Amino acid sequence: MIKNGAQIRSINIFGSNSVLVNKHATEFLNSQVLRVLNIEGEVGECFLGNIKSLGQLKFLRIDNKFSASKIPEDIEKLQRLETLNVRWQCLEKLPASIIQLQKLVRLLVHESVRLPDGIGSLQALEELSRINLGIQSVKCISMLSRLFRHLRELRVWQSDPDATCSFMASCVPTSPPLRQLVLNTRDLNRVGPQISSLVNLTRLRIRVSGEAGNEGINILASLPMLLSLTVGLLNDKNGDSGILYARHAISRQGFQRLVKFHLRCWREAAVEFEPGAMPMLQRLKLELMARCQFKFREDEVEALEDDIRGAAAVHPNRPILQIQRIRQDWMAQGCSRRPSDHAIVEA
């Protein structure tokens, strides 16, 4: 039995304990002070339908990977809601009434979710996560471009790379307050000019499945406030491996504020750092294909490791390296040529 349920301000329930939510729902659904409701597990539709009575609720998270619980159609009654996290709910769409939540700051959804066309009405929204642009309507994408003016964090998750380019090109060509960005693209050179306008960006995670030549890399290197960068260079569907020009060099003027650099490269490529590049670097992690062929040659892997150790030794910050070799036979299913070894280097 829950005593003084009407005075509860925060509820966090995990796993099988979620049955308590249904059993004692009437004891706190009339609460006038509940601010946080964090549920990991299955809850009844009846309970979800009555969330609207929690008029003071500011934080709502529903995490149920095994059941697609529906968001109440009248969720607009939660006028004080600031965070809605249904990231692990495989929903088809969000209710249209969500655009009336004018205090909503953070919206985290699963990549299967279609957003309402009026999403641009959420003027307080600062964080929008795991959006699949490929399944959104044209009108919705237009409204998302309007949101771009005041978003501080945007995660575009597993979208079609061409859709990402179109979206970025449609965004307002001014300097938005965006601090963190996650996206996919097929051509870094195409999306680069839009990224260059993000002068307040501090964290960037980008997956490139096609061209990432000198121009695109240099645009990233010129972002003035960038502190953390993760770049994934992937094989595209056509098996093209020309993702970086041979012996592509990051210039000495590049990444002047960067503290953390993580490169994941699943194809043959060469990266060089000119003396003076990344002067503030503290953490370096490289995941590189040492050799993408059927027969493994250990001497080439050792040569790669020696080169990396030598480069780290002359860096003014003297990063400590951790080198790990991983046999990548399991990657054969995802690579047109079977890679035999893969080096992970982390400073």
Side-chain angles (χ1 to χ4, degrees):
M1 181 176 179
I2 299 178
K3 295 182 179 181
N4 299 321
Q7 300 302 314
I8 295 176
R9 293 179 178 270
S10 177
I11 296 177
N12 296 271
I13 300 181
F14 305 95
S16 60
N17 290 325
S18 62
V19 296
L20 295 174
V21 176
N22 300 313
K23 183 177 180 180
H24 298 283
T26 57
E27 299 180 41
F28 59 80
L29 277 175
N30 292 324
S31 173
Q32 297 302 309
V33 296
L34 190 67
R35 303 292 195 272
V36 175
L37 182 55
N38 182 17
I39 302 174
E40 183 178 305
E42 186 173 357
V43 293
E45 295 295 333
C46 180
F47 169 78
L48 290 177
N50 285 284
I51 284 180
K52 60 188 178 184
S53 65
L54 303 173
Q56 301 297 314
L57 200 64
K58 292 186 176 182
F59 179 97
L60 175 60
R61 175 176 175 263
I62 304 173
D63 182 353
N64 180 16
K65 304 177 181 64
F66 306 105
S67 176
S69 301
K70 294 182 179 180
I71 304 301
E73 291 294 330
D74 51 358
I75 195 175
E76 79 280 359
K77 295 183 179 180
L78 299 179
Q79 281 297 305
R80 295 182 180 272
L81 195 65
E82 297 177 358
T83 298
L84 177 59
N85 184 345
V86 287
R87 179 178 175 181
W88 300 111
Q89 290 294 107
C90 295
L91 304 171
E92 180 180 347
K93 62 180 181 179
L94 291 179
S97 61
I98 197 173
I99 67 175
Q100 299 179 42
L101 298 178
Q102 289 304 305
K103 292 189 177 182
L104 195 66
V105 177
R106 290 166 290 274
L107 177 59
L108 289 76
V109 300
H110 192 269
E111 57 264 28
S112 64
V113 171
R114 286 185 289 110
L115 302 173
D117 288 338
I119 192 69
S121 300
L122 297 176
Q123 295 301 307
L125 199 65
E126 296 181 1
E127 180 180 348
L128 184 59
S129 183
R130 294 175 70 93
I131 303 305
N132 188 338
L133 295 174
I135 63 174
Q136 309 301 329
S137 70
V138 174
K139 185 175 181 180
C140 180
I141 292 179
S142 176
M143 295 294 278
L144 284 173
S145 300
R146 184 185 303 178
L147 277 179
F148 201 72
R149 301 174 186 177
H150 50 81
L151 284 176
R152 293 182 179 273
E153 181 172 348
L154 174 65
R155 295 174 180 265
V156 180
W157 198 260
Q158 300 292 346
S159 290
D160 178 80
D162 290 333
T164 301
C165 285
S166 299
F167 167 70
M168 292 294 293
S170 69
C171 291
V172 181
T174 58
S175 176
L178 199 69
R179 300 290 193 274
Q180 300 184 41
L181 176 64
V182 177
L183 57 78
N184 298 345
T185 184
R186 182 169 288 121
D187 189 339
L188 185 56
N189 293 341
R190 282 180 58 195
V191 78
Q194 286 76 43
I195 295 179
S196 67
S197 68
L198 307 179
V199 295
N200 296 306
L201 202 65
T202 60
R203 299 182 64 182
L204 173 62
R205 181 179 176 185
I206 185 168
R207 289 158 49 98
V208 184
S209 60
E211 184 59 54
N214 285 325
E215 180 182 352
I217 294 296
N218 288 332
I219 286 176
L220 300 186
S222 66
L223 290 170
M225 303 300 292
L226 197 63
L227 301 177
S228 176
L229 173 63
T230 298
V231 181
L233 305 178
L234 313 177
N235 283 314
D236 64 16
K237 296 179 179 179
N238 298 321
D240 180 21
S241 62
I243 201 157
L244 282 177
Y245 296 133
R247 295 298 173 189
H248 181 92
I250 296 176
S251 70
R252 66 186 65 220
Q253 295 82 20
F255 299 108
Q256 289 299 297
R257 289 176 175 260
L258 201 69
V259 175
K260 178 182 178 181
F261 180 51
H262 181 185
L263 174 65
R264 304 183 67 206
C265 186
W266 300 119
R267 57 176 74 187
E268 292 176 282
V271 182
E272 289 183 350
F273 301 87
E274 292 185 358
M278 300 183 179
M280 306 299 291
L281 194 68
Q282 297 178 13
R283 184 175 180 184
L284 173 65
K285 185 173 183 179
L286 304 176
E287 298 183 51
L288 305 172
M289 283 290 180
R291 187 77 175 177
C292 193
Q293 63 178 18
F294 286 99
K295 186 177 180 180
F296 166 64
R297 292 184 59 181
E298 187 174 0
D299 59 327
E300 296 189 1
V301 179
E302 291 177 349
L304 172 63
E305 293 175 355
D306 289 341
D307 288 344
I308 295 173
R309 287 191 183 96
V314 299
H315 194 282
N317 289 349
R318 296 296 179 94
I320 299 174
L321 297 181
Q322 294 179 347
I323 299 181
Q324 177 183 6
R325 297 186 190 180
I326 301 178
R327 293 199 59 84
Q328 293 293 310
D329 295 336
W330 57 271
M331 290 181 59
Q333 296 179 355
C335 183
S336 58
R337 293 174 295 169
R338 181 181 177 183
S340 56
D341 202 20
H342 175 78
I344 296 179
V345 182
E346 183 171 0

